Amino acid sequence: MAVAVPAGRTRDALLALARSGAVELDEPVLNGSPEGPATKALRSVPGPVAEPCVASTPPDVGALLAAHRGDLVAGEARLERVASGSVEQHGVRVWAGWCPADRQADVASALSAADGSLVPLRRPPGSDPPTLLRAGTPLRESFAPLVRTYGTVPYADLDPTLFSGLAYVLMFGMMFADAGHGLILLLAAPLLRFGPRRFRERLGRMWPFVAGAGLASAASGVAFGEFFGPTGVLPVRWLSPLDEPVRLLAAGIGLGAALLAVAYLVGTVNRWREGGVRLALYAPTGIAGAALYLGLLALAAGLYLGRWSVAGTGAGVAAVALGLCAVGLYAASGGGGAGVAQAAVQLFDLVLRMGANVVSFARLAAFGLTHAALGALVWSATTALWHRAGAALLAAVLVFVLGNALTFGLEALVAGIQALRLEYYELFSRVFEGEGRPFRPWTLPVEEAPQ
């Protein structure tokens, strides 16, 4: 979009934009424009300048300096910089920038008071629009830090917030599988939401995330028969980690394989939105990569189960997908003999990493097994002391409480880090191929000028 205002109303229009906080102006190209009086005066302000703000009416810069209002001087200097970065013709100043579609009517109304207008423009070819992810529901907002910590979602891509959050709590729950420990997290969630003010302000929005992690942990604990360890309070509904580690390992790899398939699906949609059908077809994180992944999975499953028809179909799909990936990698390398060598190395690395990425999800089982082993150790020590008389009973209670506290803290930290590692390295590497830039609207606090 473009902002157009009469040159004589420049300051009023910029104040309207500053108040709206809904427009990101393109970086001004000053081209050696002369400095304004506020910019020159700002050099004479002693010491660090407070957060810039701007007066609602044109001030006298000299009076601001005499009143030691360096913040207002800095604000006027910012207005001068933005004003000098505009294009002026026939008495009209024009800026280009970006504005959310649902805020355009509000911004246009604010600009009309300064005789200005907001003009929608077609996106220039090759431009990089900023990304603004909506907060949405409390659930989406609680999962948003997972994506923001990794990077900014490119403008053309799908918002993976819900997928990343659900994948995280599933992986965390499998590694932190204990119904008692999960209930503690579930109880912590309302404390974050309704507890003391300092918790609400810093962590209050995270309560759905904590509740989800607690629910997943409790559900896994019910399936494994774990309630503050193998106490016998809950029967084993599915498997006992210490008695069936191989089955637990298969479950962890199976969950990881399913999450990778979803990541490839999201990646394929993103490649299509980024570069059309050609990029989606040949990209290793698009249709070609997804087909190769599914083909290799079918081949491995067919060989393991002795289903030769499944193995043959998987091998055929994988062979076609390898050819598509090779074409895409060769085109990206620039062609020629060096391009062939580079594509061959990248193709080998692609297949190797696919296997490594699937096997990497074995850590879900490994850390779930560790959690169960620590719980069993604490429970064994507790029962051994409980059957003795006297002070041993108190010692048994202390061992149970302190042992579970130590297990809870250690395993929560480890499971949280490992789930984040799997999220970023195994899943997001399929979802994203680049990084966008965040939407940063131009804004300044506005206050009445001193008398």
Side-chain angles (χ1 to χ4, degrees):
M1 46 114 264
V3 175
V5 297
R9 301 298 303 275
T10 297
R11 192 177 190 281
D12 295 332
L14 290 180
L15 288 184
L17 295 180
R19 288 189 178 100
S20 72
V23 175
E24 177 184 302
L25 298 174
D26 289 348
E27 187 66 21
V29 180
L30 303 180
N31 295 325
S33 302
E35 293 182 341
T39 304
K40 295 177 180 178
L42 187 60
R43 296 197 185 96
S44 62
V45 176
V49 180
E51 184 67 22
C53 59
V54 64
S56 59
T57 57
D60 180 282
V61 175
L64 294 180
L65 287 176
H68 304 290
R69 293 302 306 270
D71 54 342
L72 290 175
V73 175
E76 292 298 319
R78 286 196 181 183
L79 287 180
E80 291 175 353
R81 184 174 185 273
V82 174
S84 62
S86 65
V87 175
E88 183 175 357
Q89 283 189 346
H90 307 296
V92 176
R93 287 183 180 268
V94 178
W95 295 264
W98 306 91
C99 177
D102 59 354
R103 296 293 308 277
Q104 288 186 9
D106 295 337
V107 175
S109 176
L111 286 173
S112 65
D115 299 326
S117 60
L118 189 72
V119 183
L121 302 175
R122 296 183 63 181
R123 191 174 78 183
S127 63
D128 182 24
T131 300
L132 175 62
L133 297 182
R134 299 297 186 185
T137 62
L139 180 64
R140 178 185 292 272
E141 181 62 20
S142 69
F143 289 157
L146 285 173
V147 179
R148 285 199 293 262
T149 302
Y150 184 82
T152 302
V153 179
Y155 179 80
D157 287 7
L158 296 174
D159 179 6
T161 300
L162 288 180
F163 165 64
S164 64
L166 293 175
Y168 186 94
V169 298
L170 283 175
M171 293 185 292
F172 179 89
M174 189 170 184
M175 291 184 283
F176 198 69
D178 189 288
H181 296 165
L183 287 176
I184 293 176
L185 289 176
L186 278 173
L187 292 174
L191 290 179
L192 295 178
R193 178 66 179 84
F194 303 107
R197 182 177 179 180
R198 66 176 183 276
F199 287 110
R200 294 200 311 270
E201 291 178 347
R202 296 179 57 189
L203 301 171
R205 65 178 182 176
M206 300 299 295
W207 75 266
F209 183 72
V210 174
L215 185 61
S217 301
S220 297
V222 170
F224 298 161
E226 297 280 331
F227 186 83
F228 295 110
T231 55
V233 174
L234 297 175
V236 176
R237 301 285 183 180
W238 180 33
L239 62 84
S240 173
L242 295 178
D243 295 333
E244 300 176 88
V246 175
R247 193 177 170 193
L248 180 64
L249 177 64
I253 293 178
L255 175 59
L259 292 176
L260 280 172
V262 177
Y264 270 113
L265 175 62
V266 177
T268 298
V269 175
N270 286 343
R271 301 299 86 76
W272 192 297
R273 291 162 64 105
E274 292 166 359
V277 63
R278 181 175 298 180
L279 178 61
L281 180 61
Y282 293 107
T285 56
I287 295 174
L292 177 60
Y293 173 72
L294 294 176
L296 292 176
L297 278 185
L299 175 61
L303 293 176
Y304 179 76
L305 299 173
R307 301 290 183 88
W308 306 114
S309 59
V310 175
T313 302
V317 171
V320 174
L322 272 174
L324 292 175
C325 288
V327 171
L329 292 172
Y330 176 74
S333 67
V340 172
Q342 179 178 330
V345 171
Q346 289 177 324
L347 202 62
F348 175 77
D349 178 67
L350 175 64
V351 176
L352 191 64
R353 280 191 295 112
M354 277 189 180
N357 293 150
V358 174
V359 174
S360 183
F361 283 92
R363 70 188 65 223
L364 296 178
F367 289 104
L369 192 64
T370 301
H371 194 113
L374 288 174
L377 179 63
V378 172
W379 182 242
S380 297
T382 300
T383 54
L385 291 169
W386 186 258
H387 294 297
R388 300 180 183 180
L393 295 177
L394 178 60
V397 173
L398 290 176
V399 166
F400 183 77
V401 173
L402 295 179
N404 270 282
L406 179 61
T407 300
F408 180 93
L410 179 63
E411 285 296 300
L413 177 63
V414 171
I417 293 173
Q418 292 300 323
L420 195 64
R421 187 258 176 221
L422 290 170
E423 185 98 57
Y424 288 171
Y425 286 94
E426 320 303 342
L427 301 182
F428 279 8
S429 61
R430 271 85 180 158
V431 173
F432 301 120
E433 278 208 341
E435 186 175 353
R437 63 184 185 89
F439 175 69
R440 292 191 175 96
W442 183 77
T443 183
L444 272 176
V446 180
E447 71 171 47
E448 293 296 327
Q451 300 298 322

